[in-house]
Amino acid sequence: MDNPSLGWEKAVLGTGLAYPDSMEEAGELLPSDFSIEAHQVLWAEMLSLTRRQALDHRAVVESLRSTGQLIVVSDAENIGEDYIAELMTHRGASMHEYSERVLDIAIKRELRKVAALIRAEAEDENIDAQEAMDSAEKRLLGLRRNKSGNGSTMADLIGVFNSRLAGLLDGTLSPAWVPHLEALRDVVDYIDAEDYIVLAARPGDGKSSLLRYEFLNAAMRGTPVLMFNLENGPLEYAKFAISMVTGIDSDKLKSPRRLTEEDKEAYRTAAEVLASKPMYVETLASPSAVEVERICRSYISQKHVKLIGLDYVQLVKNGLEKRVEDVTETSSVLRSIPIRYGVPLVTACQLSREIVHRGENAEPQLSDLRESGSLEQDATMVWFPRPVWANPTDAQLRTYSQNLIPNTSQLYPTIKALPYKIHVKKNRNGGTGTTRSFLWMRSTNQFFSLTNRGEN
């Protein structure tokens, strides 16, 4: 074998394709343990089919073909189906040994990266010795935890937690993400790197707007973010951003002739600012969960994104006949992304009509997750944005001047502003509860505190 790493990887892949039962011997080998993208994509698909008890080489070929990834599985001589056939010639009888070799090489590969980072921090005069040692310990501990069958001791965990707690207290360590909306921060202090959050609501109840608002604000503060847009045209995000930053009614942006000179100047300024912010939008039509994971891996590696959003989970399609099983497959893959890459993921989710049947002011429950599959189980947090008034009266709408046509007492034909609350029904690492009311400005995509009319 000229390249031992590729040789052992081919043995694992070929053996798994030829003998699906041998996948149990591969332990917890992950796609990221393989050295090239072709093998990462193929192994991810094999794991997905194994979980569904549907692995065979033909199923792998057709599944990759349906997602447009078959062409990725290749080398210098073979592409797609031909490469998969060639891999099967590397099959053997010792899957456990092959996978251990791949894992060992992967850990050494990561160790070389960690060693380079430790050396760089040791030579950085802006980092003191204790900080460099703490960082080195955490990096090495991370490698030990990734070694199958070699878990962390309680002493390891307490040491890492102590360092993390001290960093949060003295300000040298920042949480993975802090929500911009003040009312939400009252209930959820911050989000950890391994959190998987489900943001669920009925159509029109603001789940997409809240997700975009939070992500755009994170990008405005300099955090690289990735948003999967599965429902709208890509220009919708540009319009949303301009409206949110300038306060220009989004209806005006649909009819530019209504823009005043002041609006045009605000637009030009906002466009220049927004163009420099690290927000990436992937517009896809019904991608598979494996495709979403592959794109996440690419952005994390190349763009260093620190926050991932998906709008919305039921629009991911894996080709399974039963919808609940398909959503379960999606949720399982999405849950693995924060754990594997240390980047929190927030997905919007459509609620079932059960909440409507319980009455217009019913409080949302975890069981309301539409086609929930394992969403409730997988999520570390579940948030439900809900209007304070399900069917507001004219008198209630007049509470907010934004709903009134200027210089009149007449209401706009469409609602411009409504009070909302977020029900935090699950929080694996903290408390649950309901936020205080805040105002959703539908016309400008902004959210305001009701005690302070400044933007949260």
Side-chain angles (χ1 to χ4, degrees), residues 16 20 23-24 44-55:
M23 292 291 287
E24 295 182 5
E45 189 61 41
M46 291 170 64
L47 290 177
S48 176
L49 290 169
T50 298
R51 286 195 292 270
R52 307 201 299 266
Q53 298 182 329
L55 176 63

Side-chain angles (χ1 to χ4, degrees), residues 91 111 125 191 193 199 300 331 333 336 349 352 354 375 403 454:
R91 64 185 180 272
L111 183 59
E125 294 182 358
I191 281 74
L199 176 62
I300 291 168
S331 183
V333 174
S336 73
C349 173
S352 72
E354 287 302 313
L375 278 171
N403 289 319

Side-chain angles (χ1 to χ4, degrees), residues 220 238 241-243 245-246 248 263-277:
M220 294 290 285
I242 291 291
S243 183
V245 171
T246 63
I248 298 173
D263 290 336
K264 293 175 183 177
E265 181 58 32
Y267 168 85
R268 284 190 287 268
T269 301
E272 185 175 348
V273 170
L274 287 165
S276 66
K277 301 305 177 184

Side-chain angles (χ1 to χ4, degrees), residues 353-372:
R353 294 186 59 83
E354 287 302 313
I355 191 170
V356 178
H357 298 156
R358 297 202 304 272
E360 38 182 56
N361 294 315
E363 187 169 314
Q365 304 296 331
L366 292 173
S367 58
D368 292 321
L369 293 175
R370 178 186 175 193
E371 298 167 334
S372 59

Side-chain angles (χ1 to χ4, degrees), residues 45-73:
E45 189 61 41
M46 291 170 64
L47 290 177
S48 176
L49 290 169
T50 298
R51 286 195 292 270
R52 307 201 299 266
Q53 298 182 329
L55 176 63
D56 66 50
H57 84 278
R58 177 50 53 188
V60 171
V61 169
E62 295 307 320
S63 183
L64 290 172
R65 194 194 310 278
S66 69
T67 60
Q69 295 185 92
L70 187 58
I71 194 172
V72 177
V73 180

Side-chain angles (χ1 to χ4, degrees), residues 69-243:
Q69 295 185 92
L70 187 58
I71 194 172
V72 177
V73 180
S74 63
D75 64 6
E77 298 178 357
N78 298 292
I79 298 176
E81 190 168 356
D82 290 339
Y83 185 62
I84 290 174
E86 194 275 331
L87 284 174
M88 293 180 67
T89 66
H90 295 265
R91 64 185 180 272
S94 304
M95 175 63 109
H96 179 73
E97 178 188 353
Y98 307 151
S99 60
E100 283 293 306
R101 294 277 189 155
V102 170
L103 185 58
D104 188 67
I105 293 170
I107 290 174
K108 288 181 179 178
R109 188 165 58 243
E110 290 302 311
L111 183 59
R112 288 192 291 272
K113 294 178 184 178
V114 168
L117 290 170
I118 291 173
R119 178 172 180 172
E121 290 177 348
E123 295 177 349
D124 190 335
E125 294 182 358
N126 295 317
I127 300 176
D128 63 38
Q130 187 58 51
E131 184 181 354
M133 288 177 63
D134 290 343
S135 177
E137 288 175 357
K138 283 187 286 186
R139 294 184 191 280
L140 291 171
L141 175 59
L143 281 179
R144 290 202 301 273
R145 290 180 66 186
N146 286 335
K147 180 73 168 78
S148 177
N150 189 7
S152 303
T153 67
M154 185 54 68
D156 291 332
L157 299 177
I158 292 297
V160 172
F161 183 79
N162 284 342
S163 176
R164 179 176 179 277
L165 182 60
L168 290 171
L169 289 173
D170 63 23
T172 59
L173 180 65
S174 299
W177 173 45
V178 177
H180 191 70
L181 187 61
E182 183 182 347
L184 181 56
R185 292 200 306 271
D186 290 343
V187 180
V188 180
D189 289 332
Y190 60 84
I191 281 74
D192 280 326
E194 295 183 352
D195 273 328
Y196 168 45
I197 301 160
V198 173
L199 176 62
R202 289 290 298 155
D205 273 357
K207 62 183 181 297
S208 297
S209 290
L210 181 59
L211 186 58
R212 295 179 203 168
Y213 173 84
E214 285 290 350
F215 273 58
L216 184 56
N217 272 293
M220 294 290 285
R221 298 195 298 270
T223 301
V225 302
L226 169 64
M227 176 68 76
F228 286 91
N229 168 37
L230 311 185
E231 186 177 27
N232 300 289
L235 293 183
E236 181 70 19
Y237 276 74
K239 180 165 69 71
F240 181 100
I242 291 291
S243 183

